[in-house]
Amino acid sequence: MARPSDQAAASNKPARATLHAVSPQLTATMQLRIARPVSQLAQSEQMLREGLGFAVLSRFEQHEGFAGVMLGDPALPWHLELTVCHTHPVRPQPTAEDLLVLYLDCAADFETRCARMLAAGFVPNVTLNPWWHRHGRSFADADGYQFVLCPQPWMPGRPAT
């Protein structure tokens, strides 16, 4: 059974907004999927929905031994895919430098979002790179994946301070 998100790709009709290549030699558009194995699919899905406000974009069951869910914002050209493999379980093994960094475009929203992360079950953590502590807050999910919230948008070329 094809995944709903893969059906859109097969038709060459993006289901969501796309990223446009910045190189004049490249004309293709792109979407980004970050796929992560998780130990408890329902728990991880709930944490991301409640903590970050992600919507369920698609889900699949019994896909060659896998089940999963795509979470994100349908207006954005990226999403997060969480999977579990029933036939060959994969234990999540995030490293100290595996970060999913989310830059907010509204600093006033920062404290509210941080509080939502805690209420959803994320745990405050200390990242290996101290830069993130000066420019945001880091949280870990039940599998140890780290999410960093930054209170201002990222700007290309902005110096690291």
Side-chain angles (χ1 to χ4, degrees), residues 3-4 13 16 21 24 28 30-31 33 35 37 39 52 57 64 70-72 76 78 85 94 102 125 132 155:
R3 298 179 192 177
K13 294 180 182 175
R16 295 179 267 306
M30 295 181 246
Q31 293 177 312
R33 174 182 291 175
S39 57
L52 292 170
L57 304 175
E64 299 182 34
M70 275 64 85
L71 299 160
L76 298 176
W78 62 271
C85 181
L102 300 165
N125 75 316
W132 296 112
M155 303 297 291

Side-chain angles (χ1 to χ4, degrees), residues 56-110:
V56 173
L57 304 175
S58 183
R59 68 172 65 248
F60 56 94
E61 300 285 336
Q62 304 304 323
H63 179 74
E64 299 182 34
F66 288 86
V69 62
M70 275 64 85
L71 299 160
D73 180 331
L76 298 176
W78 62 271
H79 60 273
L80 188 59
E81 176 184 25
L82 307 177
T83 63
V84 293
C85 181
H86 301 294
T87 57
H88 302 292
V90 175
R91 184 178 55 138
Q93 297 181 335
T95 71
E97 275 294 285
D98 286 330
L99 307 174
L100 183 64
V101 180
L102 300 165
Y103 294 92
L104 307 176
D105 61 3
C106 178
D109 195 32
F110 179 69

Side-chain angles (χ1 to χ4, degrees), residues 39-60:
S39 57
Q40 300 294 323
L41 185 60
Q43 178 187 19
S44 296
E45 174 188 333
Q46 180 178 352
M47 288 177 75
L48 289 169
R49 283 186 12 256
E50 292 177 6
L52 292 170
F54 286 175
V56 173
L57 304 175
S58 183
R59 68 172 65 248
F60 56 94

Side-chain angles (χ1 to χ4, degrees), residues 88-146:
H88 302 292
V90 175
R91 184 178 55 138
Q93 297 181 335
T95 71
E97 275 294 285
D98 286 330
L99 307 174
L100 183 64
V101 180
L102 300 165
Y103 294 92
L104 307 176
D105 61 3
C106 178
D109 195 32
F110 179 69
E111 294 299 331
T112 300
R113 286 186 182 261
C114 289
R116 285 179 59 176
M117 294 290 280
L118 296 172
F122 285 87
V123 177
N125 75 316
V126 177
T127 60
L128 180 64
N129 184 338
W131 191 89
W132 296 112
H133 302 293
R134 292 190 303 272
H135 299 282
R137 289 203 196 133
S138 178
F139 303 89
D141 71 7
D143 288 314
Y145 289 115
Q146 297 179 86

